[in-house]
Amino acid sequence: MKFIRVAECYSKLEEISGRLEMIDILKRLFLEANPDEAEKIAYLTLGKIAPDYEGLELGLGEKLALRAISIASGISEQTISKEYKRIGDIGKLAEWAVGKRPSLFGKEELTLDRVFSSLLKIARATGSDSQDIKIRTFAGLLSDSEPIEARYIARIVMGRLRLGVQDMTLLDALAEAYLGSRERRSLLEEKYNIYPDIGRIARAVAEKKEKGLEEIDVTLGVPIRPMLAQRVKSAEEVIERIPKMYAEHKYDGERMQIHIWKDGRVKLFSRRLEDITAPYPDVRDALKTFVGRDMILDSETVAVNPDTGEILPFQELMHRRRKYGVEEAMEQYPAVTYVFDILYLDGKSLINLPLRERRKILESIVPKEGNIREVVYREIDSNLQELEAFFEEAVEKGMEGLVIKDPNSRYQAGTRGWNWIKLKRSYISKMIEPVDLVAVGAFMGRGKRAGTYGALLMAVYDPKEDKYKTVCKMGSGFTDEDLGRLPEIFKPYVTEVKDPSVESKIEADVWFQPKIVLEVIGDEITLSPVHTCGFNSIRKGSGLAIRFPRFTGRWRDDKGPEDATTEDEIIQMYKSQLKEIKEEKIKEEAA
Ligand code: AMP
């Protein structure tokens, strides 16, 4: 196929905006193409030369592109630069420049094949002479281009095609061209969801129509489009939709689809299907214990405090996405991966099995402890109270909420359906000032904190009943020196049993007399079924807790336990800071 045919088609697509018209134009183009060409058209129309997950980037730098246009047209770089400022679009600039080219020599007509293979060459060029190769190859294409061809080649090379054609429109066109009707797009979509390579799909149907699709299945190394969750506002609505459920912790980290080959290779894909193996060498190494079988796992990775095992806020994990300092981030914020699904095992796709069965297989492979571990979940059968308590407990531990799943559902790749629903907090109570809390107990540490305390159990004071009521477990914010000294500092106050003035539903490893006051800052105050501060004051069966508490470094030796922040003050803080959460976009933007 001549490339001019493709360019003319793109030019028409630019002029129209109706979707049906677009589909029709593309369909006709596909009908003129052989399977090999159909594959190339499919990629190019989306401005690509390969599926995203292969990470093959075109995006030639502006300077190099301008130089190539100058070489191909014989116009000085200076003039090209000036014109670029005036025209403002690299495509139109190339079109203008090529139009000015003296026609002394005969040109060779461009074919789709040549354009595509040159683009691949440009994208793949590496090493010291790569710039040179890129410029020469691009200039070579332009030298043989008609002006209108130059317009689209330049835009594609710069990664700026933008025809307004979405992948679903392209699938529509393929369905019309090869399966007889747009109604049958769902057949293509189903394959695209488990094998998101538009070129491969186009080639398959161009070659063998519907039969071609049978050859496309879940494949190791090709990321499956992730299943997503619908959102509901209340626990009641959860029970209405999925009475018998798996309620799972919703970790606030990074979605990670894990591909493991039996020979030891590992690839990690993000929610957007980019290869994110590089920033997570620790996850890759931890996965080595699974080697020996081929498998695909679905999971969420969070950053944890290495000494206490506490889950840290999402922002901490994002240090990984910086170009430099992965090593450092790894040490400061090691990752734990919670696996919640298995999609493929030893050559077989598992996505059509019910979740209950996938979970059984998962449990036979992934342990409940360690850096790669199974999701924390509970089977709940229409019990609202149990669901609410599990939710609050999860939030206080640093989760975003819960994801509730129907144990009978299959894995619907690429779909945001009602078989997975997320229950997030609809309100948050920001904590803006530090509070002074009394240490009433401690938990033994592990790792670097073995032999000392890993976290303290902290309480507020309730002067009405003269009681100390727990409000959080705190393991962050201590210097190494402080940490080492904790047992010594608290030694005089250790008691055999819990002090009668302490009200706690949590069993500490060591109990203290309430004496020592520490200044603490947290992110938020949340409802909690396990802490006794403000119990039943906001909601029946729940108390209040401080989420992500940290020691500010100030030992309040100037304060006695009765001068600590009171229960009422926390209740007031909770009420006055309560805000409705608007759809949180932070995560999307960071990713
Ligand atoms: P959202 O980003 O708010 O639409 O919530 C869905 C995301 O929650 C998923 O894409 C995962 O990254 C994340 N997630 C955390 N824990 C789970 C879980 N147990 N099951 C499914 N997704 C989870």
Side-chain angles (χ1 to χ4, degrees):
M1 181 184 274
K2 303 280 180 242
F3 188 69
I4 187 88
R5 177 69 189 95
V6 180
E8 280 165 359
C9 176
Y10 287 173
S11 161
K12 269 196 227 144
L13 285 173
E14 267 194 299
E15 282 161 25
I16 56 167
S17 57
R19 199 153 170 265
L20 292 182
E21 262 180 293
M22 284 186 168
I23 295 170
D24 194 55
I25 291 170
L26 287 166
K27 164 192 150 183
R28 276 190 267 147
L29 185 63
F30 278 124
L31 285 176
E32 290 168 36
N34 64 34
D36 191 48
E37 289 163 346
E39 177 179 345
K40 290 170 180 159
I41 293 170
Y43 289 134
L44 288 184
T45 307
L46 296 180
K48 300 175 183 170
I49 43 170
D52 287 343
Y53 57 84
E54 286 188 5
L56 197 61
E57 298 271 337
L58 261 167
L60 192 70
E62 218 157 59
K63 247 175 131 175
L64 300 191
L66 294 180
R67 193 171 314 153
I69 294 173
S70 155
I71 294 170
S73 62
I75 303 172
S76 75
E77 267 189 68
Q78 211 182 4
T79 312
I80 291 286
S81 242
K82 216 171 82 207
E83 279 301 307
Y84 185 40
K85 288 206 184 88
R86 188 178 66 81
I87 299 173
D89 163 8
I90 198 82
K92 292 252 166 78
L93 174 77
E95 184 175 6
W96 168 84
V98 161
K100 294 240 171 262
R101 177 188 50 196
S103 49
L104 288 178
F105 308 105
K107 313 190 256 93
E108 205 180 302
E109 240 184 325
L110 284 181
T111 61
L112 172 60
D113 282 349
R114 170 158 167 223
V115 172
F116 196 84
S117 59
S118 299
L119 292 173
L120 277 180
K121 195 168 162 189
I122 292 172
R124 287 185 182 144
T126 51
S128 55
D129 56 351
S130 66
Q131 286 207 351
D132 200 39
I133 297 175
K134 285 175 201 268
I135 294 177
R136 265 191 292 121
T137 313
F138 181 28
L141 277 180
L142 290 178
S143 306
D144 286 331
S145 293
E146 292 298 328
I148 193 166
E149 292 175 314
R151 184 199 297 175
Y152 295 105
I153 290 171
R155 285 187 192 158
I156 295 172
V157 165
M158 297 278 294
R160 296 183 190 162
L161 182 64
R162 299 205 185 96
L163 292 173
V165 177
Q166 306 298 333
D167 41 6
M168 288 304 143
T169 310
L170 207 58
L171 290 182
D172 272 330
L174 288 170
E176 289 237 332
Y178 303 115
L179 303 180
S181 141
R182 231 178 336 125
E183 317 270 280
R184 311 190 70 197
R185 180 183 93 186
S186 59
L187 293 177
L188 297 173
E189 212 177 324
E190 205 178 301
K191 293 298 177 183
Y192 189 55
N193 282 334
I194 57 167
Y195 201 116
D197 177 347
I198 198 88
R200 171 80 209 283
I201 306 256
R203 172 191 283 275
V205 280
E207 229 161 36
K208 297 190 198 157
K209 308 245 176 326
E210 202 173 323
K211 264 206 134 352
L213 293 177
E214 287 169 19
E215 293 162 13
I216 297 178
D217 203 350
V218 174
T219 304
L220 213 50
V222 178
I224 298 166
R225 296 178 76 207
M227 180 163 174
L228 301 168
Q230 286 280 6
R231 180 177 192 157
V232 293
K233 274 238 147 92
S234 68
E236 282 88 352
E237 200 183 336
V238 168
I239 290 188
E240 265 165 43
R241 294 200 176 260
I242 309 181
K244 279 181 198 281
M245 66 185 91
Y246 284 177
E248 302 184 0
H249 275 184
K250 185 177 194 304
Y251 303 90
D252 189 11
E254 172 143 41
R255 180 90 176 245
M256 211 173 258
Q257 195 178 102
I258 302 168
H259 291 230
I260 305 174
W261 282 261
K262 47 170 160 319
D263 65 9
R265 271 177 303 146
V266 168
K267 259 191 190 182
L268 309 174
F269 294 105
S270 74
R271 169 185 176 143
R272 294 180 179 177
L273 314 183
E274 309 136 309
D275 187 330
I276 46 165
T277 320
Y280 292 102
D282 47 344
V283 176
R284 196 190 51 210
D285 286 348
L287 284 165
K288 289 278 190 283
T289 47
F290 294 81
V291 166
R293 305 182 77 170
D294 289 335
M295 63 179 101
I296 302 178
L297 306 172
D298 200 353
S299 70
E300 183 89 357
T301 291
V302 293
V304 295
N305 177 329
D307 303 321
T308 62
E310 289 166 302
I311 290 181
L312 299 173
F314 168 71
Q315 288 78 352
E316 308 293 3
L317 192 72
M318 282 303 104
H319 295 293
R320 298 290 185 108
R321 286 296 194 99
R322 291 201 206 121
K323 276 241 153 65
Y324 307 100
V326 169
E327 286 288 323
E328 226 173 274
M330 231 165 70
E331 236 177 66
Q332 258 184 316
Y333 314 100
V336 170
T337 302
Y338 287 88
V339 183
F340 50 77
D341 224 319
I342 180 159
L343 312 179
Y344 176 93
L345 185 65
D346 296 336
K348 275 207 203 76
S349 162
L350 305 181
I351 59 173
N352 290 320
L353 291 181
L355 172 61
R356 192 184 297 287
E357 285 177 41
R358 300 201 303 276
R359 186 56 54 88
K360 263 195 224 137
I361 300 172
L362 178 72
E363 284 175 349
S364 72
I365 295 175
V366 178
K368 296 205 186 305
E369 290 292 324
N371 287 350
I372 311 288
R373 60 169 85 167
E374 192 196 343
V375 63
V376 172
Y377 76 108
R378 189 176 291 178
E379 268 196 86
I380 296 178
D381 186 355
S382 316
N383 186 334
L384 183 64
Q385 249 187 335
E386 195 182 352
L387 177 61
E388 281 179 343
F390 191 55
F391 174 80
E392 288 168 9
E393 221 177 284
V395 167
E396 183 206 319
K397 284 187 178 147
M399 310 303 147
E400 254 187 317
L402 299 175
V403 183
I404 288 92
K405 300 178 182 175
D406 181 349
N408 296 319
S409 61
R410 51 187 282 269
Y411 188 91
Q412 291 167 294
T415 308
R416 192 183 287 284
W418 288 104
N419 288 324
W420 281 19
I421 45 190
K422 54 188 172 184
L423 183 60
K424 295 210 241 182
R425 293 161 305 143
S426 33
Y427 292 89
I428 52 170
S429 176
K430 282 266 167 242
M431 217 182 136
I432 43 182
E433 12 169 348
V435 286
D436 298 315
L437 303 178
V438 188
V440 296
F443 304 87
M444 295 314 293
R446 43 182 209 204
K448 230 168 56 189
R449 294 193 187 183
T452 179
Y453 300 145
L456 300 178
L457 183 60
M458 307 301 295
V460 292
Y461 181 55
D462 169 12
K464 291 187 294 282
E465 299 179 48
D466 191 24
K467 291 263 178 194
Y468 295 91
K469 301 184 173 175
T470 72
V471 70
C472 64
K473 258 167 93 169
M474 176 174 74
S476 297
F478 296 98
T479 61
D480 284 347
E481 195 196 336
D482 274 344
L483 271 180
R485 282 176 41 221
L486 284 180
E488 191 191 312
I489 294 173
F490 284 100
K491 200 164 166 208
Y493 312 108
V494 172
T495 55
E496 282 289 310
V497 292
K498 181 165 62 94
D499 191 281
S501 69
V502 173
E503 259 186 25
S504 174
K505 301 216 277 172
I506 297 174
E507 266 307 307
D509 294 332
V510 186
W511 290 108
F512 307 142
Q513 271 176 288
K515 286 279 185 231
I516 305 252
V517 179
L518 290 82
E519 191 181 69
V520 177
I521 182 80
D523 282 3
E524 295 162 16
I525 302 172
T526 68
L527 289 168
S528 155
V530 298
H531 286 289
T532 49
C533 168
F535 206 75
N536 288 339
S537 65
I538 304 285
R539 180 143 95 203
K540 202 158 164 288
S542 296
L544 291 172
I546 294 173
R547 197 167 177 250
F548 298 129
R550 301 174 293 280
F551 178 39
T552 63
R554 292 181 69 190
W555 295 90
R556 297 301 307 255
D557 296 332
D558 55 327
K559 285 199 168 182
E562 283 146 28
D563 305 316
T565 301
T566 63
E567 179 182 38
D568 276 347
E569 284 176 302
I570 296 279
I571 297 172
Q572 280 318 314
M573 277 169 101
Y574 178 77
K575 286 184 181 159
S576 66
Q577 305 294 336
L578 204 61
K579 293 226 164 61
E580 193 167 358
I581 303 183
K582 303 277 177 268
E583 193 55 55
E584 283 165 277
K585 282 268 177 257
I586 327 160
K587 196 167 163 181
E588 293 283 357
E589 281 163 14

